[in-house]
Amino acid sequence: MAEPNYSFTATLPLEVLEPISTEFFHCYGVAMAEWAGVERSLSRWFLAMTQMPEPLARGIFYSARSFNARADMVQAAIGFCSQPQNASAITVVKAGLKKARSYSGFRNSMTHGDAILNLGPDENYYSIVQGKDQLSDPASPILRNDLIVAAENFAALKIVLMESVPDASRTSTKTFEQYLAEIELLPSTPNPANQKSALEPEPRTEQDRVVLRQKRASDILNRGPMARLHPSRAAPAIR
């Protein structure tokens, strides 16, 4: 049986392709980075609960290759920290872990799907679809707004979990009850259909894109990325 031919040739001006490509793949990268932050926050809880030396705790936690295996380690550690004096803190990590598990399905679809450039008479845009849906019209493709909203929700979960870790580095004055309420306010899926990003309007002009890139750089720093000084470089001046 002959294989069907799905190839075609299309011409798209670079000035049209560049902004939609840059926008989409930036949003994709930010969402991936914020998910890594969620896993990093759970590693901090694993360290706090097991009381292992940090290099050992990190080595064990990240020896698991999948999120589910890492989440299972945190769940197992919770079982050894159920004393009454830890009850409020444990409620937070339990809720955060449950929320992270509910978000991981979107992360998997985002990671393992294919980025497809959709060409049309009125609009050109990227979407992420799963391999089995590439030859049909997928019901729920992942679009730019999905990535933006998911990144914001990943970041919100990461920040709550990071700030609430009950170790010596904790400086927040919030109670564990307040942290629990913040987790419960997060949507059950990271990209609910009715949620639009309040932070990122659709850029219309090149100046809009410049302003948006500058705001993104500030937002990423404000969300608390992992940072360190490279041993061979002088300290950067961050204002």
Side-chain angles (χ1 to χ4, degrees), residues 81-90 176:
C81 298
S82 299
Q83 298 88 347
Q85 65 269 28
N86 299 327
S88 295
I90 293 304
F176 289 117

Side-chain angles (χ1 to χ4, degrees), residues 199-214:
L199 304 179
E200 293 214 7
E202 187 77 32
R204 298 297 181 185
T205 67
E206 181 56 31
Q207 182 58 32
D208 288 344
R209 284 189 280 273
V210 170
V211 172
L212 184 55
R213 284 195 294 269
Q214 293 172 342

Side-chain angles (χ1 to χ4, degrees), residues 18-39:
E18 185 275 333
I20 60 176
S21 299
T22 302
E23 285 298 312
F24 183 85
F25 288 106
H26 175 89
C27 296
Y28 179 85
V30 172
M32 291 292 291
E34 294 297 359
W35 175 260
V38 171
E39 295 200 19

Side-chain angles (χ1 to χ4, degrees), residues 1-238:
M1 181 181 293
E3 290 291 328
N5 183 7
Y6 298 111
S7 64
F8 64 90
T9 300
T11 301
L12 197 63
L14 186 59
E15 60 268 22
V16 174
L17 181 62
E18 185 275 333
I20 60 176
S21 299
T22 302
E23 285 298 312
F24 183 85
F25 288 106
H26 175 89
C27 296
Y28 179 85
V30 172
M32 291 292 291
E34 294 297 359
W35 175 260
V38 171
E39 295 200 19
R40 188 172 81 249
S41 67
L42 290 172
S43 79
R44 299 300 301 175
W45 271 95
F46 181 74
L47 169 64
M49 290 187 293
T50 61
Q51 295 293 296
M52 294 178 184
E54 185 167 352
L56 178 60
R58 282 181 173 276
I60 292 174
F61 184 84
Y62 286 106
S63 68
R65 299 301 179 90
S66 70
F67 167 73
N68 284 338
R70 293 172 183 175
D72 287 344
M73 283 194 224
V74 176
Q75 189 68 54
I78 289 173
F80 290 92
C81 298
S82 299
Q83 298 88 347
Q85 65 269 28
N86 299 327
S88 295
I90 293 304
T91 300
V92 172
V93 69
K94 280 183 176 180
L97 182 60
K98 181 178 180 181
K99 191 74 68 174
R101 286 188 190 274
S102 73
Y103 284 4
S104 66
F106 177 87
R107 177 266 180 195
N108 291 339
S109 296
M110 176 178 68
T111 304
H112 300 298
D114 287 326
I116 304 295
L117 177 58
N118 302 273
L119 304 175
D122 301 316
E123 185 181 16
N124 304 297
Y125 64 95
Y126 279 94
S127 62
I128 295 176
V129 300
Q130 304 309 300
K132 63 183 177 62
D133 296 326
Q134 287 182 10
L135 304 183
S136 60
D137 188 14
S140 301
I142 297 175
L143 303 176
R144 172 182 175 272
N145 186 73
D146 294 306
L147 296 172
I148 294 170
V149 172
E152 292 170 4
N153 288 321
F154 290 163
L157 178 58
K158 172 196 71 177
I159 290 169
V160 173
L161 286 171
M162 279 289 194
E163 287 186 356
S164 59
V165 175
D167 61 15
S169 65
R170 182 168 181 256
T171 58
S172 174
T173 58
K174 290 182 182 178
T175 66
F176 289 117
E177 288 74 18
Q178 288 174 307
Y179 285 123
L180 179 61
E182 290 181 19
I183 292 173
E184 291 176 342
L185 283 174
L186 291 173
S188 57
T189 60
N191 64 322
N194 62 346
Q195 183 176 345
K196 299 296 183 182
S197 172
L199 304 179
E200 293 214 7
E202 187 77 32
R204 298 297 181 185
T205 67
E206 181 56 31
Q207 182 58 32
D208 288 344
R209 284 189 280 273
V210 170
V211 172
L212 184 55
R213 284 195 294 269
Q214 293 172 342
K215 183 179 185 304
R216 283 171 173 166
S218 174
D219 287 344
I220 290 169
L221 283 176
N222 289 336
R223 289 172 179 171
M226 190 72 173
R228 67 174 183 175
L229 297 181
H230 193 284
S232 64
R233 298 183 181 179
I238 299 178

